[in-house]
Amino acid sequence: MTDVYTPADLPAKIQHYIDGEFVDSIDGDTFDVLNPVTNDAYVQAAAGKKADIERAVAAARRAFTEGPWPRMLPRERSRVLHRIADIVESRDARLAELESFDSGLPITQALGQARRAAENFRFFADLIVAQADDAFKVPGKQMNYVNRKPIGVAGLITPWNTPFMLESWKLGPALATGNTVVLKPAEFTPLSASLWAGIFEEAGLPKGVFNLVNGLGEDAGDALVKHPDVPLISFTGESRTGQIIFGNAAPHLKGLSMELGGKSPAVVFADADLDTAIDACIFGVFSLNGERCTAGSRILVQREVYDEFVERFAAQTKRVKVGHPHDPTTEVGALVHPEHYDKVMSYVELGKTEGRLVAGGGRPDGFPTGNYVAPTAFADVAPDARIFQEEIFGPVVAITPFDTEDEALALANNTRYGLAAYIWTNDLKRAHNFAQAVEAGMVWLNSNNVRDLRTPFGGVKASGLGHEGGYRSIDFYTDQQSVHITLGEPHNPAFGKQDLDDPDPR
């Protein structure tokens, strides 16, 4: 294959990082990491097992109980987090280069994710200094205040789509609040995660506060979830894995935050600005190679504009540029792994029996090898079709017509998922009423997926459990202790107290 790009100075191997040191697996086991453009193994990573997780948790627990990090003032921790953000920003080009190479993401989109990772740390560095906890007073009688405390070792399990940014989304608040962590990155994309150790060391994070164990979900991830000294698990991934984690965490009553799958609707009413809606819908499903949980992968279009929308959407989809991930003009790169490529292609073939193919439908021209899928659109998809109901997690979209607002709402809510929704209409009353009725944790009105880090991020139904973002992340990573103080006479009912004035209480 021509034009295969390999970054300079790739590591010879990828190791775990435990208690301030890079180490191999205790049993010496490794796994191959593949280049998604060629599907050749370019490096081997240490394959963590239960013993490696136990070693990492012990280090994190020691750093929590004996080290300075949980006992530092918020301002002191904030300074470290700001240094982390500064380092990430200064290395954004290198981070993007490695992320693009490892995951297949277009380089320009990987660069945006690297910069957002820096912003995640900066946001939580500021938030913990500005944070004000609740206090409640009853004049002359009582005062109550809330004392937040870090919980302990946080287990962080991250996915292979935009891995570095999503790791920062968990690492930032977990560390800001004084916890120590064990990170288990996705086995498909361990390269960029290996850079955190050097960044944290340079920023001055104490030894043992950050630990990283690579490996398969069923080995390292499972051991982390089941470990009794890990009271918190934050997981981003697909819904079935979330169910398994929920069951395995239950005996220990762990705190869980799980952002899971999505099959998000983009609802386009006849009065919408079609130019803007089409641009947003195309970006919303094909950016990040379609490998995004909030992708608007079901487009519902009112029948008055349906034919025009489909025709224009299909024509523009065919012009989306598929290319090598390192090419700055590329809009859709290579899918992350051959296993995932096979899954997405199986849905493309299924879609040909469930809808009318209007764009894509296979490999793009000029890419005979690698994990490349042409941006694909199916029209006239029935609500019970599998490509309407199931998360594909690739550059594939189903388009379905509707007549009335009630029908649109029923179609939008007709899946097991409920992560995001996108509503396109110029009717203000309809926009707000529809947004409040749709079963989704996040709704964008006449807007693409633009995130404000202060707002809650999470879904309903099979799309997740709990929310993170802003103070919701602070809530998850801290215990909130209520302290009560009596200011007047104590209110103590005197049970069983003998009447001292009565010499014979009989």
Side-chain angles (χ1 to χ4, degrees), residues 99-381:
E99 188 92 310
S100 176
F101 174 74
D102 196 31
S103 69
L105 286 177
I107 184 68
T108 53
Q109 296 171 40
L111 183 61
Q113 298 299 315
R115 291 171 177 167
R116 186 172 158 195
E119 180 58 26
N120 285 337
F121 272 92
R122 206 171 297 291
F123 174 83
F124 286 107
D126 291 337
L127 189 61
I128 57 166
V129 174
Q131 174 187 310
D133 291 320
D134 294 327
F136 308 93
K137 302 173 186 176
V138 180
K141 292 188 176 182
Q142 191 176 24
M143 183 173 72
N144 315 280
Y145 67 89
V146 175
N147 178 41
R148 288 183 184 270
K149 301 190 290 185
I151 295 175
V153 179
L156 312 179
I157 303 175
T158 51
W160 45 256
N161 63 319
T162 64
F164 191 80
M165 189 282 291
L166 287 172
E167 288 152 11
S168 75
W169 180 238
K170 300 180 187 298
L171 287 166
L175 295 175
T177 48
N179 298 282
T180 59
V181 303
V182 176
L183 170 66
K184 206 299 281 185
E187 57 264 32
F188 287 174
T189 53
L191 181 59
S192 60
S194 67
L195 301 177
W196 285 117
I199 293 169
F200 289 155
E201 285 182 8
E202 187 175 335
L205 193 70
K207 185 174 104 171
V209 172
F210 168 76
N211 304 272
L212 181 153
V213 178
N214 294 293
L216 306 183
E218 55 265 35
D219 296 327
D222 186 66
L224 184 59
V225 168
K226 292 177 178 176
H227 200 293
D229 288 336
V230 180
L232 292 174
I233 296 291
S234 178
F235 169 74
T236 299
E238 60 100 18
S239 299
R240 176 57 189 148
T241 305
Q243 291 175 311
I244 295 170
I245 289 173
F246 191 97
N248 287 338
H252 303 285
L253 300 176
K254 293 176 186 273
L256 291 176
S257 177
M258 298 196 290
E259 193 259 289
L260 306 177
K263 192 70 177 177
S264 300
V267 184
V268 181
F269 286 93
D271 67 338
D273 178 338
L274 276 193
D275 290 339
T276 305
I278 289 170
D279 284 345
C281 288
I282 284 179
F283 180 83
V285 73
F286 298 136
S287 59
L288 305 181
N289 299 343
E291 298 164 327
R292 59 185 304 167
C293 53
T294 55
S297 54
R298 295 181 297 139
I299 304 177
L300 313 177
V301 185
Q302 199 157 25
R303 200 172 300 273
E304 292 96 309
V305 294
Y306 180 77
D307 290 340
E308 179 187 357
F309 182 96
V310 170
E311 181 180 355
R312 292 176 58 186
F313 186 95
Q316 191 163 329
T317 295
K318 293 172 184 176
R319 296 193 296 270
V320 172
K321 183 177 179 185
V322 179
H324 295 291
H326 71 274
D327 183 344
T329 67
T330 292
E331 295 171 324
V332 171
L335 300 189
V336 67
H337 192 275
E339 288 180 16
H340 187 59
Y341 169 82
D342 290 343
K343 173 194 168 185
V344 172
M345 287 300 292
S346 72
Y347 276 106
V348 170
E349 293 306 309
L350 175 65
K352 294 174 183 177
T353 70
E354 292 188 329
R356 173 167 59 94
L357 180 67
V358 295
R363 279 191 173 277
D365 293 338
F367 294 89
T369 59
N371 305 322
Y372 291 97
V373 176
T376 298
F378 293 100
D380 310 339
V381 178

Side-chain angles (χ1 to χ4, degrees), residues 54-70:
E54 289 176 346
R55 182 179 177 185
V57 172
R61 182 66 187 164
R62 194 161 51 247
F64 184 77
T65 57
E66 302 173 14
W69 187 249

